[in-house]
Amino acid sequence: MSTESWKSARNAVVLIACLLAGWQALYWFAGEIAMRPPLATLRYTANLVTTDAFWPHLSETMRAFAIALAIAVAVGLLTGFWLGFHSLSRQVFEPMLVAIYSIPKITLYPVLLLAFGLGMPAKIAFGAIHGIIPVALFTINAVRNIKPILIKTGRVHRLGPLDMVRSILFPAALPEIFTGFRVGFSLTLIGTLLGEMFAAQRGLGYLLMTAIGLHNVDLIMAVTLLLIVFAAVVSTLLLAIDRRLHRRSV
Amino acid sequence: MSRITLYRVGVIAAAVLLLELLCYVRVIDRITMQPPHQIVRDLFVILASGKQNAAILKTLSNASIALSLAIVVGILAAVALHGYRTVRETLDPLFATYYAVPIFAFYPLLIVLFGLGDAPQIGIGFMLGVVAVIVNTLNGLDRVPRVLRKTARIQRLGTIETALKVALPCAAPYVLTGVKFAVAYSLIGIIGAEFIMSRGGMGYEISFAYNNFDNATMYPLILLILIVSISINATLSWWEKVLLARRGL
C-alpha cells in the first residue's frame, strides 16, 4: 500500500511537472498575446483571490453547483432505483436515457434560458441535466448487479422495503453508485460553468466569458487555472474513494 | 420486444402531445416555445428554402473533421501508449480528470493561435473527443487475449501489422464505444465554440436567433442537431451490438 501510494504520488509529481513544462514551452511558442507563463499566472491568481470582487463570483458558482449536484444526485438515484427494480420500465426508458445522454446538451441552453430566465435557476437546470443521466445509468446497473443472495437474505430477515434499501440494497450498490456520482460530479460542474458562460451576470463562468470578450489574458489564464485545479483535486479525491470502495466490495 | 417498442413509441408520443397541449392552452407561451408540429414544419421550411444550408454544412463538416482527427490520433496514441506501463500510469490521473475540466476555457487561446476561422473550433472538438477514444481503445487493447498476441508473434507480424490485423480488430467494440463518445463530444465542441465566438455555423445561427427572439429559426435548428446526434449514436450502438453479438457477448 505504502509503495503504491508513493508511486502514485511520484506519478502525480511527474505529470504536473510535464504539464508545467509543456505550458511554459507553449508560452515561448505562442507569445505574450495568447497566454501567460506558469509563474506569472500563479502570481496573478494569488493576487486575484485576495481581491474582494472575486469572492462573490466564486460563492455564486459554488452555490449553483451544489444545488445542481444535489438535484442531479437525488433525481438520478430515484430514477436509477426505480428503473433498476422495475424491469418493464427499464426496458422502455433506458434506451431513451442513453439517447439523451448522447445529445450535445449545449444546444438546449437557449431553451432553458427561455424557460427559466437569465440567472440562477437556468444555471442550476443546465448543471443538473448534465448530471442526472450518468447518475441514473450507473445506479440502474448497480441495482441490477446486486447479488440475488443478498436480497434473499434480506427477505429471510423479513425486512420492510425501506430497511431493505437502507441496510442491504444501498450498501451493496454503493461502489457502482459512487462511480456514477463521480461522473455526475464532473459533468454537473461542466454544465454549471457552461450555463454561467452563456447566461449569467455572476460566477466564474461569467468571469471567464467577460475575460474572453475583453481579451484579458491574465484573467482568462487565472480563472482557467483555478477551475482546472479545483476539478483535478476533487476528481482525484473522488477517484481514490471510488477505487477504495470497489476494492472493499470485491 | 415489439410490445416494449410499442410502449416506447407511446411514451414519446405522449410527451409530444403533452407539449403540444401545454403550448395550445398557453401554459408555455409562444415566446418560450412553439408547439412541436410548428417546429417540425419550420424545419422543413428552413431545409427547403436552403437559407441555413451553409451553416448546417459548416457545422457538420467541422464536426466530422474534428471527429476523424480525434479517432485517428486517439487510436494511434492508444496503440503507441499501450506498451509503456509507466507512461500510462503517469497519464492516468490526467485521463481521469480530463472531462471534469471545462475545455472551452482554452478556446480563446486557440483563437489567438489559429485565428477566428474554423481551426479553433475544430481544435476544441478534437480536444474534447480524443481522450474518450484513447481511454476506450486502451481499455479494449487491455482485453485482447494473450493467445492472439502470441499467434501474431508466431506469424512474425511486426508491431504495426499486429495492431492492424490482430489487436485493433479484437478491440473494435471498445474502440466503437470511444467513437460514440467522440461523436457527441465533437458536436458539443463545435457547437459550443460557435456559441461563444464565431462567424457562422449552427451554433452561431441558434444564438443569433435566440438573441432576436426568432423561435422559427432557433427551435428547428436545435431539433435538427438532436436528430443528427441521436441517429448517429443509434447507428453506432446498433453496430456495437452486432460486433459484440458476433463474439457471443
Side-chain angles (χ1 to χ4, degrees):
Chain A
M1 185 62 208
S2 66
T3 53
E4 200 172 286
S5 61
W6 186 82
K7 214 164 135 190
S8 64
R10 188 200 61 189
N11 282 342
V13 169
V14 170
L15 180 63
I16 292 171
C18 287
L19 289 176
L20 285 176
W23 180 358
Q24 183 71 43
L26 195 61
Y27 167 74
W28 281 327
F29 170 71
E32 194 72 18
I33 184 155
M35 56 193 295
R36 297 284 178 268
L39 208 60
T41 307
L42 276 179
R43 214 176 293 142
Y44 188 86
T45 311
N47 237 328
L48 180 72
V49 295
T50 56
T51 55
D52 288 336
F54 174 74
W55 290 100
H57 289 298
L58 183 69
S59 72
E60 172 92 357
T61 301
M62 285 303 145
R63 211 171 67 214
F65 172 57
I67 300 174
L69 188 61
I71 294 175
V73 170
V75 179
L77 277 180
L78 278 178
T79 318
F81 269 100
W82 168 44
L83 296 185
F85 283 119
H86 197 253
S87 177
L88 180 64
S89 311
R90 181 179 57 77
Q91 282 169 302
V92 174
F93 285 106
E94 198 182 2
M96 291 188 200
L97 286 185
V98 174
I100 298 174
Y101 190 38
S102 76
I103 62 178
K105 275 168 275 298
I106 200 162
T107 47
L108 296 177
Y109 107 95
V111 182
L112 286 176
L113 282 188
L114 289 174
F116 291 96
L118 289 167
M120 198 71 165
K123 274 194 254 184
I124 294 171
F126 206 61
I129 60 165
H130 278 77
I132 288 173
I133 294 178
V135 175
L137 288 176
F138 276 95
T139 308
I140 292 173
N141 262 326
V143 171
R144 292 199 16 163
N145 288 336
I146 293 175
K147 293 191 186 96
I149 191 160
L150 292 177
I151 298 172
K152 279 184 194 157
T153 316
R155 282 219 196 100
V156 168
H157 284 276
R158 307 204 170 184
L159 295 182
L162 205 70
D163 275 332
M164 191 84 158
V165 169
R166 202 175 50 202
S167 52
I168 294 199
L169 299 178
F170 192 72
L174 188 62
E176 204 48 20
I177 290 178
F178 194 84
T179 307
F181 173 73
R182 188 168 62 81
V183 177
F185 178 93
S186 314
L187 290 176
T188 310
L189 179 62
I190 296 224
T192 314
L193 287 170
L194 283 178
E196 281 186 343
M197 284 176 84
F198 299 128
Q201 294 89 32
R202 266 199 305 278
L204 291 182
Y206 166 78
L207 206 58
L208 186 61
M209 200 61 189
T210 37
I212 292 174
L214 298 169
H215 197 71
N216 183 345
V217 182
D218 285 312
L219 193 55
I220 296 174
M221 297 295 290
V223 175
T224 311
L225 179 70
L226 283 175
L227 291 176
I228 289 174
V229 169
F230 173 73
V233 167
V234 177
S235 60
T236 308
L237 277 179
L238 291 179
L239 194 66
I241 300 175
D242 195 351
R243 289 204 174 129
R244 180 164 300 177
L245 281 172
H246 275 276
R247 215 177 301 141
R248 200 179 61 184
S249 69
V250 170
Chain B
M1 182 58 213
S2 67
R3 191 172 57 119
I4 284 159
T5 317
L6 211 65
Y7 281 138
R8 215 174 282 157
V9 173
V11 168
I12 295 171
V16 173
L17 275 178
L18 182 70
L19 264 182
E20 192 80 47
L21 190 72
L22 286 176
C23 290
Y24 184 71
V25 298
R26 296 294 159 95
V27 173
I28 302 176
D29 57 50
R30 278 294 166 105
I31 297 178
T32 304
M33 189 180 173
Q34 297 190 301
H37 75 267
Q38 182 82 38
I39 298 177
V40 175
R41 209 167 58 193
D42 287 342
L43 179 57
F44 278 112
V45 170
I46 285 179
L47 288 180
S49 76
K51 63 182 170 194
Q52 296 289 350
N53 281 3
I56 294 169
L57 197 69
K58 177 172 149 68
T59 297
L60 293 184
S61 58
N62 280 353
S64 41
I65 295 172
L67 176 66
S68 333
L69 273 177
I71 292 173
V72 173
V73 175
I75 290 177
L76 284 179
V79 170
L81 273 177
H82 184 246
Y84 301 97
R85 252 194 75 201
T86 336
V87 182
R88 274 184 70 181
E89 277 175 0
T90 313
L91 285 175
D92 247 357
L94 177 70
F95 292 154
T97 56
Y98 190 78
Y99 285 106
V101 172
I103 302 292
F104 286 109
F106 295 109
Y107 188 49
L109 174 65
L110 291 180
I111 289 182
V112 176
L113 284 180
F114 297 118
L116 191 55
D118 290 344
Q121 290 150 35
I122 295 172
I124 288 286
F126 165 75
M127 282 169 74
L128 275 173
V130 69
V131 171
V133 179
I134 296 179
V135 169
N136 283 290
T137 308
L138 280 175
N139 184 20
L141 291 176
D142 283 341
R143 287 161 202 256
V144 174
R146 276 178 69 190
V147 62
L148 290 184
R149 291 199 178 272
K150 279 185 187 160
T151 317
R153 225 181 299 152
I154 289 169
Q155 306 286 347
R156 304 200 171 202
L157 298 182
T159 325
I160 296 167
E161 271 191 314
T162 310
L164 280 180
K165 292 191 173 153
V166 180
L168 284 176
C170 183
Y174 298 92
V175 179
L176 210 55
T177 310
V179 170
K180 230 164 56 175
F181 279 113
V183 171
Y185 280 127
S186 59
L187 272 172
I188 292 174
I190 300 287
I191 292 166
E194 284 171 356
F195 274 153
I196 297 176
M197 200 180 278
S198 71
R199 289 186 299 212
M202 287 166 95
Y204 173 82
E205 295 294 342
I206 289 174
S207 83
F208 188 76
Y210 166 74
N211 288 328
N212 292 296
F213 296 101
D214 181 9
N215 280 357
T217 309
M218 187 180 94
Y219 276 100
L221 284 180
I222 291 177
L223 181 67
L224 184 64
I225 292 174
L226 298 190
I227 292 173
V228 168
S229 62
I230 287 179
S231 42
I232 295 176
N233 195 268
T235 316
L236 289 178
S237 298
W238 170 80
W239 192 16
E240 195 181 6
K241 217 178 267 174
V242 169
L243 280 180
L244 282 174
R246 206 184 287 163
R247 10 197 116 158
L249 285 170

